[in-house]
Amino acid sequence: MSKPVDARKREMHHPQVQAWWREMDCGFTQVADVFEECLYEALTAFSKREMDDYVAAAKTLSRLGRGPEPVLAFLEAWPSVAGAVGTAALEDVMATARALQASPNGHAIAPFLQTLAPVARRLASREQLAFYLDIARELMARTTGSIHGRHATIASPGLPAFFRQAPQLVETLPMAGLQNWVDYGIRHYGDHPQQQEDYFKLALADSRAVLQRERHGTLFADAERRLDLYLRALWRDPQPLIPYSNAYHELRQIVPYYDSLGMRLPDVYDARNGISGLDRYRATLAHMAGHRRWSSPQIADNWSPFQRLAVEFLEDARIDRLLMREYPGLAPVLLALHPKPGEDACDPETTSCLRHRLAMLSRACLDANHGYADPVLNETVAAFHAALADGPSGTAQMAGLALAYVARTRRPSDQLPRIHFDDTVVDYRDDNRQLWAFIEEGDEEEAFDTRKEAREAEEPQGLPPRHYPEWDQASESYRPDWVSLYEALHPAGEAAMIDRLLEKHAALARRLMRLLDLIKPQNKQRIRYQEDGSELDLDVAIRSLIDFRSGVTPDPRINMSHRTSGRSIAVLLLLDLSESLNQKVAGGEQTVLELSQEAVSLLGMAIERLNDPFAIAGFHSNTRHEVRYLHIKGFSERWDDTVKGRLAAAGAGWSTRMGAALRHAGAALAQRQADKRLLLLLTDGEPADIDVRDPGHLHADAKKAVGELAAQGVDTFCLSLDPKADDYVQGIFGRRHLVLDRVEQLPEKLPLLYMALTK
Amino acid sequence: MSQDVEQYRIGKEPFYQPQGDEVTLYEAAYAARLPVMLKGPTGCGKSRFVEYMAWKLDRPLITVACNEDMTASDLVGRYLLDREGTRWLDGPLTTAARIGAICYLDEIVEARQDTTVVIHPLTDHRRVLPLDKKGEVVAAHPDFQLVISYNPGYQSLMKDLKQSTKQRFAAFDFDYPEPGLEAQIVARETGIDFDTAGRLVKLAGTARNLKGHGLAEGVSTRLVVYAAQLIRRGVAPRAACRTAMARPITDDADIRATLDHAVDAIFA
Ligand SMILES: Nc1ncnc2c1ncn2[C@@H]1O[C@H](COP(=O)(O)OP(=O)(O)O)[C@@H](O)[C@H]1O
Ligand SMILES: [Mg+2]
């Protein structure tokens, strides 16, 4: 399809997408190129209104005067961000973008949006993301324009670097730790632009050291799957788990809680009193699951705050007791975490001791060896055990016990403003908001999730982009979701052209066929000399019979069975279809592309003969936003005219972003059931792309991709047509490569190479 | 021949704990000589049930554990060598058809589909078994019955019964017994105390809750019985559970950690 010069006039396939594109009124061709596919991805998750908001936000970002990069990054990232933290976060994200634009830091918008998706996925809740945005804005405010006292005219040197490192940072640190790490950088390097940038790039030893210092405990994100399994397996009560962070609210720490949206947990737990962070998470979940199973809400209006506090303590103790009954192994965990207040720790003359008394009561209900002497406490504990003796009892019965206890132990000093808090907080317990119903205020309505409205049956035509990471050798870390790869069927052409090419090589083809018949495994293999088999092996049987007759011990292995061919291999041929293939071969009339087509035709024919599962795909790239991956032959397709047609139509253009293509092809191969999986790459040059200046970068990424594939059981072999390949090909592919210095030999060499590799 | 029949008889009453009215239903199915298919996850008592019914109906029982390498001749029979030359030896299916036994093909989906089709003529009104290689057609004894077991949980395209095969059987659904009953079974089967049996069953329950969330199948009653047997032989309960119940069913580190935790939570 020819593309109009003005991107605004670009035609989209889908009429609704067309309407949105018109609405965008955007002149960037790069955006026009990927717009439709991005919208398709979003359409699978968003309602109509969410789509409108998405497009409106993209439009805003296209008007900042900062080129296509921010829009592209946003279009790609947002569906994934929204999937992780909800569409409501759009407001927070756009507010941050506006704040950056309004300061001298507009150039940081692109890096901000580029890493937003992995950051959001790791943080997993809108609150956590908002916390992250606040940290970034704090960094911006404190490092912008303050250099040598000039005002807000100089951009923050550290901010773009911070955004670029953000995925790695949130991977390693809880939010409070991130806040401390940023704060340290501002305080120590606020006045040195270069060092500040290096600090936030993690290029200073100091910044790495602080990072290590702040990393501790069990992070929610790392424990999430185990916690989900725990709730399912032990409580049959799977709930969405939503992390929150505490450093933010320093005055009043948030306590775990649950509501209709899920269970809220802190983003990190350190080990305490010999209980690991993971087990603390489990204890917290168990307590909430216990409430969900055994508690019923009480009307709060008639009771004083003191009375309610007492009811909560006793009800919590009942829940813990039932938890221990259900899983005795929880008892030592809960007892290690539950405080054990000293009986005389609180002075009732000067301090309100109600919390202290209740914490002791709670301890005594769980711990037979509590050792407290107070008679009222001991009587209440006895009544507690009696209530639970033959069943789970209930919240109302606990309320009765609690009110009686408060009445019997009441002291005037309970009203004192000074409250004894030490050793009275049981931190695996939730805040009990579900325990109370208020008649007066009316039912607090919960926000309902109204995502994913029913959508029309119309199916998008292209596939949504796949995102792949890219290895950044400078920082020795992956840039998550860095590359967008679009896969499609290669358009079809004229199959007869391939047949003509094959005819041209008729002699070669015949030679290949003879070779193939030699290596082709027999479809059925006989396994002889079997004691048990599917068939009598007459030769052997007669021999045995003769032995038997002549008094010799006969061989009992007179049966045979069959096994189908032992050759179990899957092969994917990946073709570099970059612009350079259009060059003429030195001293000839043919282009490298034409020679490649001939070679692939011969190979296709050969492999069809061998009956190995075999696929062909091509790729090229136009910056990291657009790697095109084109299917020419699928594993299940035969080598027929459809396939030949696609190969005939193969054209060359753009650049060679190898890593993403290797990862995508490798993923397809890794799914094949075969003893050996071979990814055969045919390329005429080194990895390169127009948005990457340092060629070493894409080399390092390709090498990394080859390593990843090896770990998944996929062998990669590179056949290079680049005479200069010796400089780098070994570095990327190790020994698994061959450089063909006479390109005209390709049609002959490619099938031979294949046979040699798979013999 | 009578010698043969005797060796296939179940001498002693096997212990089988009914879960519902399956015993009566089976008796009716046998009276009508309907082929029977027992559906359910592995290790939930299907084989034990067949043994029990064979004993109760006083029929010989021939059991074949099916596997991938099995061929039609493994079921039907083959030629062997003998003093006089080659001699035909009936396969288990043929023997059962001749002597009027109950033939139980266990885990039939494990066998290749071309193997499975040899049972077809036995399962309709013809009730015959053609021995192609021998040129004989065996008419089934009036007391002969075919029973197959089948685990629908595999959900692999390669391992499903052909519709044309399924359509030939009366189906019985089996599942793991409810906890109280399962604990009784385990206690009776192994002689372990009821409290420990109950904990083992509870542990099995936690694993079964993960079915479809990383586990293809939960822990079977058979594995619970194994764990109980280890404990009876003096193995510490936690170690017994890990060995017999958690390790066999998964290599997923997160699931293993969760099951190990469940072991600790239940056997404190
Ligand atoms: N209802 C039951 N009565 C007695 N034992 C049972 C019962 N269900 C399961 N079992 C025990 O479980 C074990 C496995 O059962 P089995 O019949 O072999 O399973 P399946 O044939 O379904 O794979 C038996 O050996 C027995 O110990
Ligand atoms: Mg609570």
Side-chain angles (χ1 to χ4, degrees):
Chain A
M1 195 181 0
S2 75
K3 297 174 177 177
V5 186
D6 184 357
R8 290 181 173 80
K9 303 230 169 68
R10 186 72 67 82
E11 277 179 31
M12 303 285 155
H13 290 99
H14 192 294
Q16 180 62 56
V17 175
Q18 183 75 62
W20 276 315
W21 180 242
R22 232 175 280 123
E23 169 60 30
M24 278 285 290
D25 190 24
C26 169
F28 297 121
T29 29
Q30 301 93 317
V31 179
D33 290 349
V34 300
F35 186 75
E36 182 142 33
E37 277 128 331
C38 287
L39 258 67
Y40 286 157
E41 185 183 13
L43 271 167
T44 59
F46 290 170
S47 70
K48 170 80 170 68
R49 224 203 61 232
E50 289 165 333
M51 287 301 294
D52 290 341
D53 294 346
Y54 173 42
V55 172
K59 182 173 177 177
T60 308
L61 291 167
S62 71
R63 303 283 156 113
L64 301 179
R66 310 218 161 261
E69 200 60 28
V71 209
L72 284 172
F74 175 77
L75 282 172
E76 284 165 11
W78 180 245
S80 170
V81 175
V85 300
T87 45
L90 184 57
E91 221 175 280
D92 315 342
V93 169
M94 292 306 284
T96 304
R98 274 194 302 275
L100 291 168
Q101 175 76 358
S103 75
N105 297 297
H107 64 288
I109 295 179
F112 161 54
L113 293 171
Q114 274 156 2
T115 53
L116 192 60
V119 167
R121 278 202 304 267
R122 176 76 179 178
L123 296 181
S125 76
R126 183 182 171 187
E127 292 84 349
Q128 291 286 88
L129 185 68
F131 195 165
Y132 163 77
L133 299 177
D134 283 344
I135 292 174
R137 287 174 73 166
E138 163 102 2
L139 171 60
M140 177 184 90
R142 288 170 61 191
T143 53
T144 304
S146 62
I147 298 155
H148 308 309
R150 270 177 282 170
H151 277 284
T153 49
I154 297 171
S156 160
L159 193 58
F162 168 77
F163 283 132
R164 287 198 188 97
Q165 291 306 326
Q168 202 195 333
L169 295 170
V170 297
E171 192 76 30
T172 338
L173 297 179
M175 276 299 153
L178 181 62
Q179 201 175 33
N180 294 342
W181 181 81
V182 169
D183 189 60
Y184 184 99
I186 299 171
R187 278 192 287 111
H188 290 81
Y189 301 102
D191 292 335
H192 305 279
Q194 186 55 51
Q195 287 188 0
Q196 185 191 125
E197 189 182 338
D198 287 345
Y199 178 91
F200 286 102
K201 253 179 162 164
L202 281 172
L204 289 189
D206 199 18
S207 78
R208 287 195 293 269
V210 178
L211 188 75
Q212 284 312 319
R213 196 184 69 202
E214 291 297 335
R215 133 185 237 174
H216 59 85
T218 302
L219 295 190
F220 170 81
D222 294 327
E224 184 173 5
R225 176 152 185 263
R226 285 183 184 193
L227 299 180
D228 176 65
L229 289 168
Y230 174 74
L231 273 182
R232 274 179 204 285
L234 279 81
W235 299 102
R236 278 171 169 257
D237 188 12
Q239 290 289 307
L241 302 178
I242 307 165
Y244 63 80
S245 194
N246 251 326
Y248 201 37
H249 313 257
E250 275 146 68
L251 286 181
R252 203 173 172 285
Q253 295 276 305
I254 306 185
V255 173
Y257 67 94
Y258 64 96
D259 58 21
S260 65
L261 297 180
M263 294 180 167
R264 318 294 170 123
L265 297 164
D267 65 348
V268 61
Y269 263 138
D270 291 321
R272 236 198 38 214
N273 300 350
I275 305 298
S276 70
L278 181 62
D279 277 335
R280 288 184 67 193
Y281 273 119
R282 287 183 178 133
T284 308
L285 289 178
H287 186 85
M288 290 195 271
H291 274 305
R292 286 171 52 84
R293 189 176 287 191
W294 293 300
S295 288
S296 47
Q298 305 293 303
I299 307 293
D301 300 62
N302 300 329
W303 292 333
S304 74
F306 285 168
Q307 289 173 318
R308 275 189 241 154
L309 189 66
V311 174
E312 290 186 15
F313 263 101
L314 219 62
E315 173 68 353
D316 281 341
R318 178 178 76 98
I319 296 301
D320 288 349
R321 190 82 218 166
L322 294 173
L323 296 177
M324 296 171 169
R325 200 177 272 179
E326 190 76 16
Y327 292 109
L330 262 177
V333 176
L334 298 188
L335 288 176
L337 294 174
H338 193 297
K340 193 171 183 180
E343 193 158 11
D344 303 319
C346 182
D347 175 8
E349 298 308 316
T350 59
T351 319
S352 162
C353 290
L354 180 64
R355 283 192 69 92
H356 177 246
R357 291 200 300 279
L358 291 173
M360 286 194 297
L361 177 61
S362 168
R363 173 88 206 181
C365 287
L366 306 186
D367 179 5
N369 305 317
H370 57 80
Y372 298 130
D374 183 76
V376 184
L377 178 141
N378 278 296
E379 272 172 47
T380 310
V381 171
F384 173 87
H385 288 311
L388 270 79
D390 21 66
S393 178
T395 314
Q397 197 175 5
M398 290 302 112
L401 277 179
L403 296 187
Y405 179 76
V406 174
R408 288 179 67 190
T409 61
R410 184 171 13 231
R411 277 175 170 269
S413 64
D414 289 346
Q415 305 289 344
L416 289 177
R418 211 174 117 193
I419 299 174
H420 181 95
F421 261 104
D422 292 353
D423 284 340
T424 64
V425 179
V426 188
D427 65 7
Y428 60 83
R429 290 178 178 169
D430 59 286
D431 72 0
N432 283 327
R433 65 180 66 189
Q434 298 297 317
L435 205 54
W436 302 111
F438 295 86
I439 303 174
E440 292 292 298
E441 295 166 20
D443 286 345
E444 279 159 86
E445 239 169 74
E446 291 293 347
F448 278 101
D449 209 354
T450 49
R451 296 185 60 186
K452 299 205 182 179
E453 291 166 19
R455 227 164 295 106
E456 318 91 282
E458 220 159 342
E459 281 291 305
Q461 304 188 349
L463 291 166
R466 302 281 300 264
H467 303 292
Y468 284 97
E470 195 164 276
W471 179 251
D472 179 18
Q473 63 172 358
S475 68
E476 300 240 311
S477 61
Y478 283 101
R479 296 171 172 168
D481 284 3
W482 191 251
V483 180
S484 302
L485 179 145
Y486 297 85
E487 62 182 314
L489 264 187
H490 199 290
E494 192 203 346
M497 172 195 147
I498 298 297
D499 290 330
R500 280 197 300 277
L501 290 180
L502 286 172
E503 242 158 67
K504 191 177 118 191
H505 289 286
L508 176 55
R510 271 196 305 278
R511 200 148 49 81
L512 281 175
M513 286 306 166
R514 278 199 302 275
L515 271 177
L516 286 168
D517 287 339
L518 285 179
I519 68 164
K520 186 177 171 178
Q522 292 190 332
N523 265 343
K524 281 219 161 182
Q525 276 178 340
R526 269 196 310 184
I527 312 173
R528 304 184 74 172
Y529 302 109
Q530 305 257 296
E531 218 165 311
D532 278 329
S534 55
E535 225 125 342
L536 185 71
D537 189 336
L538 265 183
D539 290 349
V540 188
I542 290 168
R543 243 178 285 153
S544 291
L545 190 61
I546 296 168
D547 285 349
F548 185 67
R549 290 262 159 86
S550 49
V552 183
T553 317
D555 187 346
R557 298 171 302 155
I558 55 160
N559 285 300
M560 64 180 173
S561 54
H562 295 282
R563 191 173 61 193
T564 32
S565 133
R567 192 177 165 95
S568 167
I569 181 167
V571 189
L572 194 150
L573 174 66
L574 184 61
L575 304 173
D576 170 357
L577 292 179
S578 60
E579 174 64 36
S580 51
L581 264 80
N582 284 328
Q583 283 170 7
K584 293 247 161 64
V585 175
E589 268 311 291
Q590 282 189 299
T591 62
V592 182
L593 176 66
E594 283 160 354
L595 270 173
S596 301
Q597 284 168 314
E598 289 177 10
V600 173
S601 305
L602 284 161
L603 180 65
M605 180 198 71
I607 297 183
E608 178 78 359
R609 180 86 155 213
L610 286 173
N611 230 338
D612 292 337
F614 171 52
I616 311 174
F619 76 99
H620 48 201
S621 65
N622 176 25
T623 80
R624 68 187 184 83
H625 298 295
E626 197 178 359
V627 175
R628 296 276 165 185
Y629 184 95
L630 300 159
H631 293 278
I632 295 172
K633 177 183 180 302
F635 283 108
S636 56
E637 281 178 300
R638 308 249 44 125
W639 174 251
D640 59 13
D641 281 356
T642 323
V643 169
K644 289 181 198 167
R646 290 189 207 123
L647 180 61
W654 297 353
S655 313
T656 318
R657 207 174 197 103
M658 211 174 264
L662 286 174
R663 289 185 177 93
H664 191 72
L669 253 183
Q671 285 174 5
R672 302 294 306 179
Q673 288 221 345
D675 293 346
K676 277 238 157 272
R677 305 185 190 89
L678 175 65
L679 174 53
L680 191 55
L681 173 68
L682 178 61
T683 173
D684 72 325
E686 56 187 319
D689 208 344
I690 53 172
D691 58 343
V692 179
R693 248 168 284 153
D694 168 17
H697 170 75
L698 290 181
H699 288 179
D701 176 56
K703 177 185 164 89
K704 203 77 186 167
V706 171
E708 292 161 26
L709 295 187
Q712 296 171 46
V714 173
D715 288 324
T716 309
F717 191 98
C718 174
L719 178 56
S720 175
L721 307 178
D722 179 6
K724 296 192 300 295
D726 289 332
D727 298 341
Y728 58 86
V729 73
Q730 170 104 24
I732 300 177
F733 299 96
R735 283 190 303 122
R736 296 183 184 266
H737 73 269
L738 182 72
V739 181
L740 205 60
D741 33 37
R742 287 176 51 211
V743 180
E744 19 356 311
Q745 293 179 329
L746 180 64
E748 179 179 1
K749 285 288 154 83
L750 181 65
L752 290 177
L753 169 70
Y754 177 80
M755 290 183 221
L757 282 175
T758 62
K759 215 161 42 196
Chain B
M1 181 66 86
S2 64
Q3 189 66 27
D4 271 359
V5 181
E6 285 322 304
Q7 81 184 42
Y8 295 120
R9 257 190 235 285
I10 314 280
K12 215 172 94 219
E13 172 173 2
F15 162 56
Y16 178 73
Q17 170 68 55
Q19 297 190 40
D21 54 1
E22 69 268 31
V23 173
T24 346
L25 268 176
Y26 189 99
E27 282 170 336
Y30 182 75
R33 299 295 185 273
L34 295 182
V36 161
M37 162 160 63
L38 308 179
K39 286 165 71 169
T42 43
C44 70
K46 300 184 295 292
S47 307
R48 181 59 64 86
F49 174 63
V50 179
E51 269 170 52
Y52 174 77
M53 290 313 302
W55 172 85
K56 192 152 200 281
L57 298 166
D58 195 21
R59 291 317 320 151
L61 173 67
I62 298 184
T63 298
V64 184
C66 301
N67 61 62
E68 224 164 5
D69 298 332
M70 208 171 76
T71 59
S73 8
D74 291 324
L75 285 177
V76 170
R78 59 162 50 88
Y79 278 106
L80 288 184
L81 259 194
D82 199 329
R83 215 162 316 211
E84 273 71 56
T86 54
R87 176 176 68 98
W88 173 263
L89 182 74
D90 279 345
L93 184 63
T94 313
T95 308
R98 289 195 207 273
I99 67 175
I102 294 175
C103 183
Y104 178 45
L105 304 181
D106 198 3
E107 303 286 5
I108 184 129
V109 284
E110 293 291 343
R112 285 199 313 270
Q113 294 193 340
D114 51 330
T115 309
T116 332
V117 291
V118 306
I119 65 176
H120 283 191
L122 276 173
T123 53
D124 51 34
H125 64 277
R126 292 173 284 175
R127 284 178 57 91
V128 295
L129 180 61
L131 309 178
D132 290 340
K133 285 192 197 144
K134 193 165 178 247
E136 180 188 346
V137 176
V138 179
H141 186 286
D143 291 342
F144 168 79
Q145 188 199 25
L146 188 64
V147 182
I148 63 175
S149 81
Y150 163 61
N151 178 356
Y154 275 134
Q155 266 161 6
S156 148
L157 293 176
M158 309 302 290
K159 292 212 169 145
D160 198 0
L161 275 187
K162 277 202 214 169
Q163 198 58 27
S164 64
T165 306
K166 279 189 203 167
Q167 293 273 1
R168 294 162 182 272
F169 293 87
F172 285 59
D173 275 321
F174 278 71
D175 207 341
Y176 306 122
E178 56 87 17
L181 205 58
E182 191 170 5
Q184 270 178 33
I185 294 174
V186 173
R188 232 193 100 187
E189 181 81 5
T190 63
I192 203 168
D193 64 284
F194 191 74
D195 172 63
T196 310
R199 289 178 198 236
L200 291 172
V201 167
K202 182 170 182 127
L203 179 62
T206 61
R208 289 172 196 166
N209 288 340
L210 293 181
K211 186 171 167 185
H213 297 276
L215 283 186
E217 292 232 349
V219 166
S220 65
T221 307
R222 181 183 302 123
L223 290 182
V224 181
V225 167
Y226 287 171
Q229 284 167 343
L230 290 181
I231 296 174
R232 282 277 289 168
R233 279 184 172 62
V235 178
R238 292 194 205 194
C241 290
R242 288 200 178 115
T243 311
M245 290 169 74
R247 293 292 176 273
I249 60 169
T250 184
D251 294 318
D252 178 320
D254 289 331
I255 293 184
R256 228 167 47 194
T258 303
L259 294 180
D260 284 351
H261 175 79
V263 172
D264 294 340
I266 292 170
F267 291 92

